[in-house]
Amino acid sequence: MSRKSRDNDYNLRSMSNLMGERRKKVNDDGERSLIKASSNASINSQAADVPANATAATSTRDLEREARKQFQQDVTPAFVYVLAAFSALGGFLFGYDTGVISGAMLLLKREMNLSALWQEVLISSTVAAAALSALAGGLLNGVFGRRVCILLASFIFTAGGIVLSAAPDKEVLLVGRLIVGLGLGIASMTVPVYIAETSPPHLRGQLVTVNTLFITGGQFTASIIDGAFSYLRHDGWRYMLGLSMVPAVLQFVGFLFLPESPRWLIQKGLTQKARRVLSQIRGNQNIDEEYDSIKNSIEEEEKDRGGDGPVIWRMLTYPPTRRALLVGCGLQMFQQLSGINTVMYYGATILQMSGVRDDKVAIWLAGVTAFTNFLFTLLGVWLVERVGRRKLTLASIIGTCLSLSLLAIGFLLSAQHTPPVTLHPTDPSMVNSTCNRHLLCEPCMLDPGCGFCFRENSTALFASSCVPVNTASTEKAAWGRCSNSTQLRVHTYWAYNYCPTSYSWVVLLGLVLYLAFFAPGMGPMPWTINSEIYPLWARSTGNACSAGVNWTFNFLVSLTFLHVAQNLTYYGAFFLYSSLALLGFFFIYGCLPETKSRRLEEIESLFDNQLCSCGATDSDEDRQVEYIRVKGSNYHLSDNDASDVD
């Protein structure tokens, strides 16, 4: 810490108040460091020397700390918010892609006659490409910096949008989806790191969470675009997929004028440029303390990180970063295993599965769930610095588990009250078909080669049959009264992937509650926490690995959902996701520490203990840590070491 401005020298004043008459002159050139426990903690070795006015001194220190916090909040320049907003456009692109494909897929499978396998490939190909580029993003971030990587991601995403909007067939569409995935992967691991490294500590959690707010905003915007263009008879999906170019171009232009991360600049030895950037993003605050803290932290990390070799190897062989990596990757894994992108990618399809018959109605109802996601992510932005990361994540995942169970119960009720097959046509083409074996709609609907043809009046369903689906289009039967979708008789309906049911509202309620619980915590917190828990030398690689894990499990879940639903039934699939979310709750409870209001350079010490003891540090949330320099290094004493300070 610098002594250039004594008016801002809060750390030395805090030390002076605590030590009182016992502070002695220090003969070395460095300065001492102090960690202060909460006011009810005792320091036995100093008990005899505590002055009678210790309570008053503690109050004074608390007032000073609050004054410093208020000072920091009052002078936070607007440029920090502009920087966070342009960065979070990467999150908007992420959300737009995951949201727009839900509605576009309903139109694509009809216009291009896509099989279930092709639907899964088109959705999961973007995810697979994103997983690979997120892993490569760690190397790119370390070599070229955060700003260049975000510019690259914007450029790639724009190119992918052009290919998607002009795709003449499903093969070119696949190429476009792969290109978009490359841009998404780089942006998904770079944007949270960039925001975390440029944000002041008291705003870091909120600003990183704003990235997730933009993700949900992108999903909600995509649902509106889907609904608007679903009324076009042809090529509505081209506009849905192509409009993603607009925010990508806006982000690219914006980042031509935004600075690089000061922490990356210091790491690369560009110290003068780093000081200029810090001055720009901190306004009239004294940057000397923060600059020295970052610089000294980097110097200490260079000594401690285990010598030469790949960064990932040094992370795995250095216990604190290995534990942080396991926690970060575990959070991202359980985020995906709790089924979020199943809901976002297949939201409209899930609503159809629950009995919603019209494509347009399903798309607009998916928009309702996307708006719920956006609304409750706003709640997460408000709660993250008040409740803390750990409590917010725990409450979120247990609510997610319960709402997934409700979603499964909705499908279970539909299955238990599924209508029977009352007609058994004797067409020659059904001799070797499995369709004539089904006696109920539910098993008929789960058979990918069959569909449910039925008539309905105002009170009842009748004349129902299970017949083969047309191999050219799932929108009609292979033969019979449902074989021509444009000439169906009045009150005659064809259902390929749903059964008529009166329990659709339970599934819609489950989806809304799922997103209401997921959005404030499990949505943003894995990204927020991963942007904080790694030391600078490992931050790019750590975030790349965790983002790669996120995209990998995203790929696995999205690739297998339709087949899992066919083999385990729909209620079985969501009971499976609910069980995995419950497993995630126990992992988070045991292993996730609280990082609220701590400096990035301090958080590494939270992982000094064995892996699943770090979560049991709730009592340390209110501890105030005061750092100053000890011969060029950041140093702090534990509560029990305070007696060694003379």
Side-chain angles (χ1 to χ4, degrees):
M1 185 189 83
S2 173
R3 292 187 175 182
K4 292 181 180 179
S5 174
R6 292 192 175 273
D7 290 338
N8 294 328
D9 197 350
Y10 299 101
N11 293 331
L12 289 177
R13 285 194 291 170
S14 294
M15 182 177 73
S16 177
N17 286 334
L18 181 64
M19 300 305 298
E21 299 296 330
R22 295 191 69 244
R23 189 175 65 163
K24 298 179 180 179
K25 183 175 181 178
V26 182
N27 293 323
D28 59 12
D29 296 330
E31 300 159 67
R32 296 283 178 120
S33 158
L34 174 66
I35 181 169
K36 173 193 167 295
S38 55
S39 59
N40 62 347
S42 63
I43 305 177
N44 295 330
S45 61
Q46 295 182 0
D49 298 314
V50 174
N53 61 347
T55 303
T58 301
S59 299
T60 301
R61 289 193 299 276
D62 291 341
L63 289 173
E64 287 177 353
R65 187 173 293 112
E66 288 301 319
R68 175 176 58 183
K69 184 177 180 181
Q70 187 62 45
F71 171 77
Q72 290 174 334
Q73 292 173 340
D74 289 343
V75 298
T76 300
F79 182 71
V80 170
Y81 299 100
V82 173
L83 184 149
F86 271 98
S87 304
L89 282 174
F92 184 91
L93 292 169
F94 181 4
Y96 186 88
D97 180 78
T98 58
V100 78
I101 197 64
S102 172
M105 192 54 65
L106 293 182
L107 307 183
L108 281 167
K109 69 181 182 182
R110 182 173 65 245
E111 289 192 28
M112 292 191 175
N113 297 325
L114 299 178
S115 65
L117 178 60
W118 260 101
Q119 293 178 56
E120 290 175 330
V121 167
L122 284 174
I123 289 176
S124 58
S125 58
T126 298
V127 181
L132 295 176
S133 63
L135 292 172
L139 177 63
L140 295 174
N141 268 261
V143 175
F144 299 107
R146 288 48 162 148
R147 176 176 172 271
V148 172
C149 285
I150 293 175
L151 284 168
L152 177 63
S154 302
F155 177 80
I156 293 174
F157 204 100
T158 302
I162 293 172
V163 173
L164 287 172
S165 62
D169 51 43
K170 59 188 178 184
E171 288 78 16
V172 176
L173 196 67
L174 177 60
V175 172
R177 295 286 294 163
L178 288 169
I179 295 173
V180 165
L182 294 175
L184 283 178
I186 296 173
S188 68
M189 65 80 45
T190 306
V191 167
V193 174
Y194 182 79
I195 297 176
E197 291 185 346
T198 54
S199 302
H202 68 282
L203 288 175
R204 187 180 64 243
Q206 285 185 331
L207 292 181
V208 176
T209 304
V210 163
N211 181 55
T212 306
L213 179 66
F214 271 57
I215 293 176
T216 58
Q219 291 167 340
F220 177 55
T221 302
S223 68
I224 295 175
I225 297 295
D226 281 351
F229 287 104
S230 66
Y231 293 94
L232 293 181
R233 294 183 62 84
H234 299 288
D235 293 337
W237 57 269
R238 295 187 186 276
Y239 298 97
M240 296 177 185
L241 299 176
L243 283 174
S244 61
M245 291 183 290
V246 176
V249 171
L250 182 61
Q251 185 183 47
F252 184 87
V253 173
F255 258 85
L256 292 175
F257 304 97
L258 292 177
E260 181 55 81
S261 160
R263 283 173 169 81
W264 184 85
L265 291 171
I266 295 173
Q267 187 181 39
K268 296 300 180 181
L270 303 173
T271 55
Q272 292 304 313
K273 190 172 183 179
R275 292 185 70 91
R276 287 197 300 270
V277 173
L278 273 176
S279 297
Q280 187 179 9
I281 63 180
R282 295 294 181 261
N284 61 351
Q285 296 182 47
N286 183 4
I287 65 167
D288 291 333
E289 179 180 357
E290 183 174 5
Y291 174 85
D292 288 345
S293 176
I294 297 170
K295 194 171 186 299
N296 295 329
S297 177
I298 292 172
E299 292 172 355
E300 290 300 307
E301 289 164 0
E302 291 293 334
K303 299 174 185 176
D304 296 340
R305 63 182 182 174
D308 297 327
V311 175
I312 185 63
W313 174 252
R314 295 199 296 268
M315 290 183 69
L316 293 174
T317 54
Y318 182 47
T321 53
R322 180 174 66 244
R323 295 173 189 130
L325 184 64
L326 289 173
V327 170
C329 290
L331 281 171
Q332 297 284 27
M333 178 182 72
F334 282 112
Q335 184 200 65
Q336 292 304 315
L337 290 180
S338 58
I340 178 58
N341 281 313
T342 291
V343 171
M344 300 316 300
Y345 290 140
Y346 296 103
T349 301
I350 290 170
L351 288 167
Q352 275 198 333
M353 292 171 176
S354 70
V356 177
R357 302 174 189 178
D358 185 76
D359 284 358
K360 298 180 185 65
V361 174
I363 288 173
W364 283 113
L365 285 177
V368 172
T369 62
F371 178 72
T372 303
N373 196 18
F374 174 75
L375 193 64
F376 281 88
T377 302
L378 275 174
L379 177 64
V381 173
W382 184 78
L383 288 175
V384 63
E385 295 296 352
R386 292 168 173 81
V387 176
R389 284 73 155 145
R390 175 176 161 82
K391 291 178 181 177
L392 186 58
T393 308
L394 285 171
S396 174
I397 198 168
I398 197 66
T400 297
C401 176
L402 294 174
S403 52
L404 281 169
S405 297
L406 177 62
L407 195 59
I409 289 171
F411 279 110
L412 180 60
L413 289 172
S414 297
Q416 289 178 339
H417 296 84
T418 188
V421 174
T422 58
L423 293 180
H424 298 277
T426 56
D427 189 272
S429 64
M430 291 193 65
V431 174
N432 297 320
S433 172
T434 58
C435 301
N436 57 3
R437 304 174 190 170
H438 303 308
L439 302 179
L440 298 170
C441 178
E442 177 77 6
C444 175
M445 183 263 296
L446 290 172
D447 190 330
C450 304
F452 192 66
C453 184
F454 63 96
R455 298 194 67 192
E456 188 178 42
N457 57 28
S458 58
T459 59
L461 181 150
F462 61 95
S464 57
S465 58
C466 183
V467 294
V469 66
N470 191 306
T471 56
S473 172
T474 59
E475 297 299 310
K476 55 186 177 181
W479 54 269
R481 56 198 167 120
C482 288
S483 60
N484 191 329
S485 57
T486 60
Q487 297 179 7
L488 289 175
R489 287 184 294 173
V490 179
H491 303 306
T492 301
Y493 301 94
W494 167 251
Y496 172 62
N497 62 350
Y498 72 89
C499 285
T501 178
S502 59
Y503 293 98
S504 300
W505 66 271
V506 180
V507 174
L508 180 60
L509 176 63
L511 281 176
V512 170
L513 288 177
Y514 171 82
L515 292 170
F517 281 110
F518 186 93
M522 282 302 292
M525 287 306 102
W527 300 102
T528 300
I529 292 166
N530 269 283
S531 71
E532 298 175 327
I533 59 177
Y534 307 108
L536 181 58
W537 63 269
R539 193 166 296 149
S540 295
T541 302
N543 276 274
C545 289
S546 63
V549 167
N550 181 288
W551 285 108
T552 299
F553 279 91
N554 186 338
F555 170 75
L556 293 175
V557 171
S558 61
L559 180 65
T560 58
F561 170 67
L562 293 179
H563 285 88
V564 168
Q566 288 173 359
N567 288 280
L568 294 183
T569 71
Y570 295 128
Y571 61 85
F574 285 105
F575 275 130
L576 173 64
Y577 296 143
S578 178
S579 301
L580 292 171
L582 182 61
L583 186 61
F585 171 81
F586 291 114
F587 171 81
I588 292 168
Y589 182 82
C591 299
L592 179 63
E594 182 56 73
T595 61
K596 178 169 71 84
S597 299
R598 298 180 186 267
R599 288 187 181 179
L600 293 177
E601 287 69 38
E602 175 199 342
I603 291 174
E604 181 184 357
S605 63
L606 297 176
F607 294 92
D608 286 341
N609 299 321
Q610 59 182 339
L611 179 61
C612 285
S613 65
C614 61
T617 58
D618 284 344
S619 61
D620 291 342
E621 284 184 29
D622 297 324
R623 291 174 64 190
Q624 300 295 332
V625 181
E626 302 290 350
Y627 274 83
I628 59 177
R629 295 172 58 187
V630 178
K631 295 183 180 179
S633 62
N634 288 324
Y635 182 73
H636 65 86
L637 298 175
S638 67
D639 298 337
N640 296 330
D641 290 336
S643 60
D644 296 332
V645 180
D646 292 323

